[in-house]
Amino acid sequence: MSKEKYSTKSRAELEKLLSEQKTALGKLVFVKGDPSQKSDGSAIKSLKKDIARIQTALNQLS
C-alpha cells in the first residue's frame, strides 16, 4: 500500500491496519526462526516499511 492511501485513512483504520501488519510480521518472523520453514525476507522488509508508514501517518494525525 502506498503512502497516499495511508494518508486518507482515519485514525481507527490506521490503528487496525497497524495491528494487522504487526501480526503478519510476527508470523513471518516466527516462521523465519524455524529452519524447516522457508521465509521470504523481502516480505518481512516490505511489512516493516508499511508499519513505519502507518506509524508516520498516525503521528501526523496527532
Side-chain angles (χ1 to χ4, degrees):
M1 198 175 253
S2 67
K3 275 191 227 179
E4 294 81 30
K5 290 184 180 178
Y6 290 132
S7 64
T8 61
K9 302 251 182 231
S10 70
R11 175 173 283 285
E13 289 173 317
L14 287 172
E15 288 173 351
K16 182 180 178 207
L17 275 172
L18 183 62
S19 175
E20 291 170 357
Q21 295 290 344
K22 285 184 175 182
T23 300
L25 179 63
K27 289 177 183 177
L28 283 176
V29 170
F30 178 77
V31 168
K32 186 176 181 180
D34 184 356
S36 68
Q37 300 285 329
K38 288 191 176 189
S39 67
D40 186 3
S42 63
I44 292 172
K45 277 186 177 180
S46 177
L47 279 171
K48 286 181 178 181
K49 286 180 183 179
D50 282 345
I51 289 169
R53 287 184 185 123
I54 295 169
Q55 288 175 330
T56 300
L58 279 170
N59 288 339
Q60 290 175 347
L61 288 175
S62 299

